[in-house]
Amino acid sequence: MKAGALELGHASKTTKSGVNRGMSILDLFIRIIAIIATLGSAIAMGTTNETLPFFTQFVRFKAKYSDLPTFTFFVVANAIVSAYLVLSLGLSIYHIMRSRAQATRIALIFFDAAMLGLLTGGASASAAIVYLAHKGNRKTNWFPICQQYDSFCHRTSGSLVGSFAGVVLIILLIFLSAIALSRQSLNH
């Protein structure tokens, strides 16, 4: 009888529960990687500065992340998303133990989507500034500064990579939660 049920596409409850538990473990793993990516990006950008001497040692030009409000927003956005991801680990662990939980998955989808918007906004705005730092804009007399501030530009570019990796990971988290919810609604 069980073999016939499997042939018709009906899996047992233990099989479905095992798949949901596996998805919950994957959710936890992706959240941990996303924490590393966003926290690393916030730290890398927040500690970025470079000083160049100009003629004498008393006159120096300094480039800091806090000189540009866009980079400050980037650091704050990545820090908020990192803190949220740390707090959401508890629900992710709860989903491993209780794979049938629906209300908390819906809450995670909602908050994950909000954090996705915040992180995408911060990373995209900063990407525009980093592009100007690398390429400049001759029409507006904004000259590229990365020839002079090489270390500053490398660190800001690297932090952008981590932040956009966080964006991709949060999109994966939203998909995982949506798939888990759809699997549960099909079972009822």
Side-chain angles (χ1 to χ4, degrees):
M1 188 70 167
K2 285 186 179 180
L6 286 174
E7 286 176 13
L8 294 173
H10 299 290
S12 68
K13 286 191 176 199
T14 56
T15 304
K16 291 177 184 175
S17 175
V19 171
N20 283 343
R21 180 165 285 123
M23 290 176 63
S24 297
I25 292 169
L26 182 60
D27 179 272
L28 178 67
F29 181 70
I30 291 172
R31 284 185 190 280
I32 292 170
I33 294 172
I35 290 168
I36 294 167
T38 55
L39 186 61
S41 291
I43 291 170
M45 183 70 82
T47 58
T48 299
N49 63 10
E50 187 173 358
T51 305
L52 296 177
F54 182 72
F55 293 124
T56 68
Q57 72 182 55
F58 299 110
V59 179
R60 296 173 183 249
F61 289 121
K62 194 170 205 175
K64 296 187 298 187
Y65 88 97
S66 58
D67 293 337
L68 297 161
T70 305
F71 287 164
T72 303
F73 173 63
F74 176 88
V75 170
V76 170
N78 275 279
I80 289 171
V81 171
S82 294
Y84 161 75
L85 287 168
V86 167
L87 294 174
S88 72
L89 288 176
L91 283 179
S92 191
I93 292 169
Y94 175 74
H95 291 151
I96 293 171
M97 296 183 299
R98 307 259 188 225
S99 60
R100 292 243 176 238
Q102 286 187 351
T104 53
R105 286 196 194 274
I106 292 171
L108 272 182
I109 287 176
F110 176 76
F111 288 117
D112 284 349
M115 293 299 118
L116 176 64
L118 179 64
L119 190 60
T120 303
S124 299
S126 293
I129 298 299
V130 169
Y131 177 82
L132 285 174
H134 281 281
K135 302 289 184 185
N137 187 336
R138 301 267 183 229
K139 293 179 183 177
T140 57
N141 290 325
W142 292 342
F143 299 105
I145 64 165
C146 286
Q147 290 87 8
Q148 294 85 18
Y149 295 99
D150 190 46
S151 173
F152 179 81
C153 289
H154 284 301
R155 286 182 63 104
T156 56
S157 297
S159 64
L160 280 175
V161 170
S163 190
F164 278 115
V167 167
V168 171
L169 292 170
I170 291 176
I171 290 171
L172 288 174
L173 289 172
I174 292 170
F175 281 147
L176 270 177
S177 293
I179 290 169
L181 278 174
S182 69
R183 290 177 54 82
Q184 287 176 5
S185 65
L186 290 174
N187 296 335
H188 286 87

